[in-house]
Each structure stands twice: as structure tokens, then as C-alpha cells.
Amino acid sequence: MTDSDTHHPIFDLSADIARTLGHAHRLVLLNHIAEGEKAVERLTDLTGLGVANTSQHLQHLKRAGLVQTRRDGKRVLYRLAAGPIEMVLAALRSLAEHNNAQLRELVEGGAANTAARLENISREELIRRMNEDSIVLLDVRPADEFATGRLPRAINIPVEELELRLAELPRDKLVVAYCRGVRCVLSADALAILRAHGWVARRFEQGFPDWLDAGLDVEDGHYNSG
Amino acid sequence: MTDSDTHHPIFDLSADIARTLGHAHRLVLLNHIAEGEKAVERLTDLTGLGVANTSQHLQHLKRAGLVQTRRDGKRVLYRLAAGPIEMVLAALRSLAEHNNAQLRELVEGGAANTAARLENISREELIRRMNEDSIVLLDVRPADEFATGRLPRAINIPVEELELRLAELPRDKLVVAYCRGVRCVLSADALAILRAHGWVARRFEQGFPDWLDAGLDVEDGHYNSG
DNA sequence: CAATCATTCAATCAATCTATTGAATGATGA
DNA sequence: TCATCATTCAATAGATTGATTGAATGATTG
């Protein structure tokens, strides 16, 4: 009955933050910024928004304490503020993906076994199953990125072509899709497509950059799809 | 450069969810619902909102896929939907608390060592340090709740009285505040107050119910503050 | 079946938010 | 210092959102 139970400032603060995240443009901006400090102009290029509009959204983000700025000559560089922001973004995306998957499930009719299929696959399990040859690795990045380096024995089908080229994927193996890393949405998209067509698919969330960082085997020159 | 990089549906879905969370009333409702299925009337009582208003907010939450309903006689019961909703709420609150702490830091002048002080204390560490007597356990729930049961050797100062009764707390020990559990905001509030006055404080996030569940020692009758 | 109760719907007004436009600021370099 | 460039500010119009009111729905009880 104390009103601190119902009108607690933490709810107002949380709501402020959530409202700030409640606009697709700002989420896109935030995700670009999360990949590295960027100037306003660069962000307008990346998003296709007008300059003033971008600036306005950025200041909204700044007011909410999600980004910080510094000046470098004429430019103002935006970077992510400290704190568990990425955790919030990750949780939010994960929830959105979950809800989206459930939605598709309703539409598609297949009902029971989504939870398991949604899961990410850990690097350890991925390596183990690559050695067992019990999976198909699917690289859904654009062909040019694939050409510069990829996980061993990965097949490349850019996500835009995936629906048309599904026949290239075996039905009797787990498909593990990967792309540029946790903040890249291509593999999430791929999962949705695969699921919608009855494949059993999981996702290697860390993607290619992480594989690289871990110093693991990378193919770089010749295609080796056997 | 593909527009799936910038106009990806996942951002719209995430934004929808975030916008839905972007109102303090809905956050309050959601937190009440997270504690257990509740009817609309009960929620109006808990929040003090009008019935129609509450219903409207609840339907907003429902549209966004955050809650689900079932009918029980005349009543409609709202419960949390499946999925990582609680994770989002936790992350959001954690970020809000972080930002709030940083804000106060700026105001108060103390600057460097917040991160450590913000951290929750695990049950293991708590038990260890209780045995070492290297902490002071602070129960910030209302006196009546404290009277019905508490952690061993806890001191009770309801959070509303905390600022006035700070003198009762030693300066030379870590203060560990707890309340009703992860969804209870009292201890978060207490931390803010303690921090603002220079105490070194942490939080036992799981709170009293979890301690109880774990079957650990509980004091129930007599005050035992030595 | 009529009365009652819990919830939802519909309509309204005020408040807030977004994109756009064009002007203003602030730093740089000739 | 003047011109230029990147960014921000200010003002506007259109759209969306929130609280309130009163009526409508749907299930239960007598």
C-alpha cells in the first residue's frame, strides 16, 4: 500500500528507456553505433534518414543516456554509453524473435517444437558436430563476404536467395546458419525461412568474426563444399 | 547496402515491444502480472488506475504478445506470455538502475567505484560473509513483513525510514540490503540512498522468499540484532 | 429470463511524438 | 576573417497515444 510500490521512479526511468527504444529508426541507429563509434553523417548514410532527423533521434538516445558523444574536429562521434545496454538490446531482440517465431508458427500450423529449434548453438557443440559431420553449415552473408573467408565446409546461400535455393540443403541434417555475429540479423532471418519450410535449423549466433577471433580454422580461397 | 540491413522486420517488432514497455503504468502492470496471474479488478486495485484505463493498457500488452488471458467465470485473468519477457524486464530495470546511479553520482560528486557497488551479491557469497560477520544485513521491507520472518541477524529499517535512520548502520562494514525478491524494488531504492550517503552497499537480489525456498535458516519470532 | 458483475469497446480531447523544412551554431582551413 | 562543412536548433503540420466518460458485451446467479 505504500505508493513506492506503484509509483516507483525506477518504473519511470525504465519506461523512458523503453520508449526511447520504441522506434525502429533508433534501434537501427543504436545497433550501428554498438558496432563502433560513428559520426552523424555516417549514420545517415547507413540508415538513409535525413540529417536533421538522424540528429534528432540521436539526441533522443543521448537524453535517455544510451549513447554518448565526443567531438573530433567538425564531426560529432556517437558511441554506446556504459552499462548493460547491449544486454537490453539482446534481450529485446530475443523476445521479438521469439514472438515472431510463435506468430509464424500459428500461421504455418507447425506447432510444438519451436523452442528447441530457436536455440543458438554454442561454439563447442558446433565444432563437435562439424567433426561428426552431423550438420550442414550455412553461411547466409552476401557472396562477396563469403568469398573473403568462411567457416570450414560452409555452404553460401545469401539470405535473399535462400527461399529459392532451399533445394540445395539436405533435409536429413541439422542446418546451422551463421552470419556476421550477434548483431547481424541475417541468420535470424534465415532460421525463420528454414523453419517455415520444415527444416530443422539452429543458429551459430557468434558468426564469422567470432570464429576468426577464436583463431579457428578458416577457409579463405577455394570452395570446398564436400 | 541491402535494405534488409536497415529495414529489417526484427527492428519493427523490437520497437513495438519496446514502445509497449515505454509507459510506466504498463511496466507496473507487467510486474504485478509477472508475480502471478491476476484479474483486471485486482490490477486496478494494485495500481490505482481506472478500470477502463487498466483494461486498455492490458490490451496493449496483449497485442504486443507480452501477456495472455484466460477466462475464469466472470473474470479475465492475465498472465505473462511465454518467452524471455522477464529477461527483458530485468535487463531494462538493470539499465535504468545503472543510469540512475550514474546520474546520482554526477550530482553527488563521488565518481569512480560504482560498478562494484552496484553488483548483486550471490547467495553463496552472502552466506560466507554472514559467517565471517563481515557484512550487515539490512531488511528494508515494512516492519510487519519483517516481523513474520527474516534472514538471520538482519536489521530492519523500512526503506521509507532509511534516510532518517542511517546512523543505525555501521560505516565499516558492507551493507547488504534485501527485500521481497528480484521483482521488489525496495532494496534497489535502499542502495541508492545508501550510496548517496557514502555507504558501501550491495544487494541480495533474491530476497527473503528465495532464502526461504532454499530452506536456509530463518528467524521468525524474536528480534536478535546482536 | 432478468439482474448483476467484470471487462471491453467507442468516442472524445489533450498531450506527445515524428518528419520536414530552413535557419543557426561551432569548428576548420584558406 | 570568410567560406565551408558537420551538426544542431526551431517551427510546423500530421499522426499517434493516453485518460476519461458512458455504453455495450458476455458470463453468472437467482
Side-chain angles (χ1 to χ4, degrees):
Chain A
M1 289 300 148
T2 64
D3 89 354
S4 56
D5 276 9
T6 55
H7 296 100
H8 198 277
I10 209 71
F11 290 120
D12 292 309
L13 294 167
S14 301
D16 270 350
I17 294 171
R19 202 178 313 119
T20 302
L21 297 176
H23 194 291
H25 290 164
R26 285 193 289 269
L27 284 180
V28 172
L29 285 168
L30 211 45
N31 277 278
H32 283 301
I33 293 171
E35 287 174 3
E37 205 180 36
K38 288 188 175 49
V40 179
E41 197 185 18
R42 175 93 183 104
L43 290 168
T44 64
D45 288 350
L46 287 168
T47 57
L49 300 175
V51 191
N53 195 9
T54 304
S55 174
Q56 222 163 219
H57 281 304
L58 288 170
Q59 290 184 31
H60 202 150
L61 290 169
K62 194 176 175 186
R63 255 178 266 133
L66 300 174
V67 301
Q68 296 182 327
T69 58
R70 75 184 171 92
R71 232 200 158 92
D72 175 32
K74 298 183 192 180
R75 298 156 192 277
V76 175
L77 299 176
Y78 281 79
R79 66 178 184 283
L80 227 52
I85 299 176
E86 309 215 38
M87 210 172 89
V88 174
L89 292 177
L92 195 56
R93 165 175 297 171
S94 149
L95 176 55
E97 280 171 5
H98 176 98
N99 287 1
N100 190 30
Q102 290 223 325
L103 205 66
R104 291 193 191 224
E105 229 173 42
L106 283 176
V107 176
E108 306 283 340
N113 47 358
T114 304
R117 291 198 243 165
L118 255 179
E119 288 174 10
N120 292 316
I121 192 166
S122 68
R123 197 163 64 205
E124 291 70 33
E125 189 183 356
L126 177 58
I127 292 171
R128 183 171 58 72
R129 301 193 63 167
M130 282 168 73
N131 290 332
E132 287 173 13
D133 202 28
S134 66
I135 56 168
V136 178
L137 248 183
L138 175 62
D139 185 322
V140 294
R141 296 174 301 161
D144 51 324
E145 285 183 56
F146 180 77
T148 70
R150 57 198 174 253
L151 269 61
R153 294 204 303 279
I155 296 175
N156 178 232
I157 307 182
V159 75
E160 309 95 68
E161 303 171 36
L162 182 55
E163 204 136 20
L164 296 170
R165 295 174 56 188
L166 281 170
E168 298 175 37
L169 293 170
R171 279 242 178 223
D172 58 350
K173 280 187 185 173
L174 176 68
V175 177
V176 176
Y178 75 88
C179 52
R180 296 168 193 141
V182 281
R183 236 172 332 270
C184 171
V185 294
L186 299 178
S187 66
D189 225 10
L191 278 208
I193 294 173
L194 290 167
R195 272 201 304 271
H197 291 83
W199 263 266
V200 179
R202 291 171 71 186
R203 180 180 177 205
F204 176 52
E205 193 183 29
Q206 284 75 36
F208 181 73
D210 176 71
W211 187 268
L212 210 62
D213 287 349
L216 292 162
D217 262 5
V218 172
E219 292 182 359
D220 54 67
H222 9 270
Y223 196 97
N224 175 7
S225 82
Chain B
M1 289 297 150
T2 64
D3 89 353
S4 57
D5 276 8
T6 54
H7 295 102
H8 198 278
I10 209 71
F11 289 121
D12 292 309
L13 293 168
S14 301
D16 270 349
I17 295 172
R19 203 179 312 119
T20 302
L21 298 177
H23 193 290
H25 289 165
R26 284 193 290 268
L27 285 179
V28 172
L29 285 168
L30 211 45
N31 277 278
H32 283 301
I33 293 170
E35 288 175 4
E37 205 180 36
K38 288 190 175 50
V40 179
E41 197 186 18
R42 175 93 182 104
L43 290 167
T44 63
D45 288 348
L46 287 168
T47 58
L49 300 174
V51 191
N53 196 8
T54 304
S55 174
Q56 223 165 218
H57 282 303
L58 288 171
Q59 290 184 32
H60 201 150
L61 291 169
K62 194 177 175 184
R63 255 178 265 131
L66 299 174
V67 301
Q68 297 182 327
T69 58
R70 76 183 172 90
R71 230 199 160 95
D72 175 33
K74 300 182 191 178
R75 299 155 192 277
V76 175
L77 299 178
Y78 281 79
R79 64 178 184 282
L80 226 53
I85 299 176
E86 308 215 37
M87 210 172 87
V88 174
L89 291 177
L92 194 57
R93 165 175 299 172
S94 148
L95 177 53
E97 280 171 4
H98 176 97
N99 287 2
N100 191 29
Q102 290 223 324
L103 205 67
R104 292 194 190 224
E105 231 173 42
L106 282 176
V107 175
E108 305 286 339
N113 46 0
T114 304
R117 292 199 243 164
L118 254 179
E119 288 172 13
N120 292 315
I121 191 167
S122 69
R123 199 165 61 206
E124 291 69 32
E125 189 183 356
L126 177 58
I127 292 172
R128 184 173 54 72
R129 301 193 63 168
M130 282 167 72
N131 290 330
E132 287 175 13
D133 202 29
S134 65
I135 56 170
V136 178
L137 249 181
L138 174 63
D139 186 320
V140 295
R141 297 173 301 162
D144 52 321
E145 285 182 59
F146 179 78
T148 71
R150 57 199 174 252
L151 270 60
R153 293 205 305 278
I155 295 176
N156 178 232
I157 306 182
V159 74
E160 310 94 68
E161 303 171 35
L162 183 54
E163 203 137 19
L164 296 170
R165 296 175 54 188
L166 281 169
E168 300 177 36
L169 294 169
R171 281 241 176 224
D172 58 349
K173 281 188 184 174
L174 175 67
V175 176
V176 176
Y178 75 89
C179 52
R180 296 166 193 143
V182 281
R183 234 167 339 265
C184 171
V185 294
L186 299 178
S187 66
D189 225 8
L191 279 207
I193 294 172
L194 290 167
R195 271 201 303 273
H197 291 83
W199 264 266
V200 179
R202 290 171 72 187
R203 180 179 175 206
F204 177 50
E205 192 184 31
Q206 284 75 35
F208 181 72
D210 176 71
W211 186 268
L212 210 61
D213 288 349
L216 292 161
D217 263 5
V218 172
E219 292 182 358
D220 54 68
H222 7 270
Y223 198 97
N224 175 7
S225 81

